[in-house]
Amino acid sequence: MSATAPPHVRPPLHVVQLLGGGSVGTGAHVRSLSAGLAARGLRVTVAAPPSAERRYRFTAAGARFVPVPARTGPGSFGVLNAVCAEADLVHAHGMRAGLLAALGLRGRRIPLVVTWHTRPTAPGLRAQLRRLNEFTVARAASVVLGATSDLVDRARSRGARDARLAPVALPPQRPGGGREAEPVKIRAELGAVDRPLLAAEATLDRSQTLDVLLTAARAWRSLRPQPLLAVAGEGPERAAAQRRIDREELPVRLLGRGDAALRLLAAADVAVLAARWAGRAPLAEEALRRGVPLVATAVGGVPEVVGDAAVLVPYGDPAALGAAVTGLLADETRRASLARAGRIRAGSLPTEDTTVAQVLSVYDELASTATA
């Protein structure tokens, strides 16, 4: 009687998650994705600048962490080659990581997935360089995953052979320390106990976003009670912005980076997103979850996120933004309706589990093709 050969057991897929820095949302997504993949039995290696491990603790999520120099150069390529020696697949997040992978894996038969999380808004030479990088990354990737539909279209226009929509679900955000801020305390600290509180966030630079917010605030000076726009953010133009606020007597208060918009949402009557472009827009998603009426610019992935659960206005139109907020403050019924619609909409958004499942299906597809 002949012995039966043991069935062939396929070793767990080894996936390298490559992070080049990126935004807070990108890092949180890689952390969430790494935890989900490791829980499903994959071997996960995260390659990123050392500061990323200190912030997101990938090893605590079940991944192996390999530090990559923050600047692209010979050292970065050397680390990439070493960490990918036994990898079955590389998943790069963001354009810098995508370019590093595209150049470092050239000539090697390792499937490359690149997630495009954002799109550039800077003009001039930087925009031209970004365009060239996008062509390189799009054509090198086996699959490009776009966080929004416009990013999928952009990848296809840059020559991607396979570009798919893959919304990035971020874990529900919590204030620092995990404790919910008390609305009454927040209002008291801001001097908004008996007046409407508007919550926004913006980088305090020369971008049009800050100018739009401040110009829109002119429309609220005559309202009684006068609302207060609290803007969370920092930047090099903080002093100039404060001078304008003082000069025009705008009902605006600039808050530092520590006073995150998330904390403001706990007490806000209306959330305001005036971005020139946004992907999944954490501020918008959190406003929906909390039932805070939202006024937002109809850009990037914002319409996909909010659906009919927010008031959308064109970007760069302070008059429309100001009027939309004024209308909401005057209509309690409309605010209540948006609050209900927001919570319902939030319940239909992609979860961390569905995000991991979608990405894993892409991995399995590429792995099967590579071994066929």
Side-chain angles (χ1 to χ4, degrees), residues 345-357:
R345 182 71 180 180
S348 69
L349 294 176
T351 65
E352 292 180 86
D353 283 342
T354 58
T355 297
V356 172

Side-chain angles (χ1 to χ4, degrees), residues 80-274:
L80 180 63
N81 286 329
V83 77
C84 293
E86 299 179 356
D88 297 303
L89 183 146
V90 174
H91 188 165
H93 297 266
M95 198 54 56
R96 179 180 177 273
L99 184 62
L100 177 62
L103 299 177
L105 299 178
R106 184 173 291 171
R108 304 176 66 174
R109 299 185 62 184
I110 299 177
L112 172 61
V113 177
V114 182
T115 294
W116 290 22
H117 292 268
T118 63
R119 60 167 294 173
T121 56
L125 183 60
R126 292 178 61 185
Q128 296 177 27
L129 179 60
R130 170 84 179 208
R131 178 184 174 88
L132 293 175
N133 291 343
E134 288 176 344
F135 275 106
T136 300
V137 173
R139 294 174 180 180
S142 305
V143 175
V144 173
L145 300 178
T148 62
S149 295
D150 66 322
L151 289 176
V152 174
D153 293 338
R154 190 179 183 90
R156 288 172 179 160
S157 72
R158 300 296 192 255
R161 49 189 147 162
D162 188 342
R164 313 178 192 183
L165 179 63
V168 172
L170 300 179
Q173 301 185 53
R174 295 288 179 266
R179 298 180 61 184
E180 186 66 55
E182 297 181 8
V184 174
K185 181 179 179 181
I186 295 173
R187 286 180 173 273
E189 290 174 351
L190 296 175
V193 174
D194 298 318
R195 60 194 296 199
L197 177 62
L198 314 176
E201 62 180 350
T203 301
L204 308 184
D205 56 16
R206 294 182 181 275
S207 68
Q208 193 175 358
T209 296
L210 179 59
D211 180 67
V212 166
L213 281 171
L214 297 184
T215 302
R218 294 174 180 171
W220 309 324
R221 290 179 298 189
S222 60
L223 299 181
R224 294 294 180 271
Q226 188 182 74
L228 174 66
L229 174 65
V231 182
E234 272 293 358
E237 294 299 309
R238 180 187 179 90
Q242 187 61 58
R243 287 194 295 271
R244 179 182 174 186
I245 292 168
D246 296 339
R247 182 175 64 252
E248 300 182 21
E249 298 182 341
L250 300 176
V252 178
R253 182 166 175 180
L254 301 179
L255 306 177
R257 186 174 300 172
D259 297 287
L262 172 62
R263 184 171 183 269
L264 295 175
L265 286 177
D269 296 289
V270 175
V272 181
L273 177 68

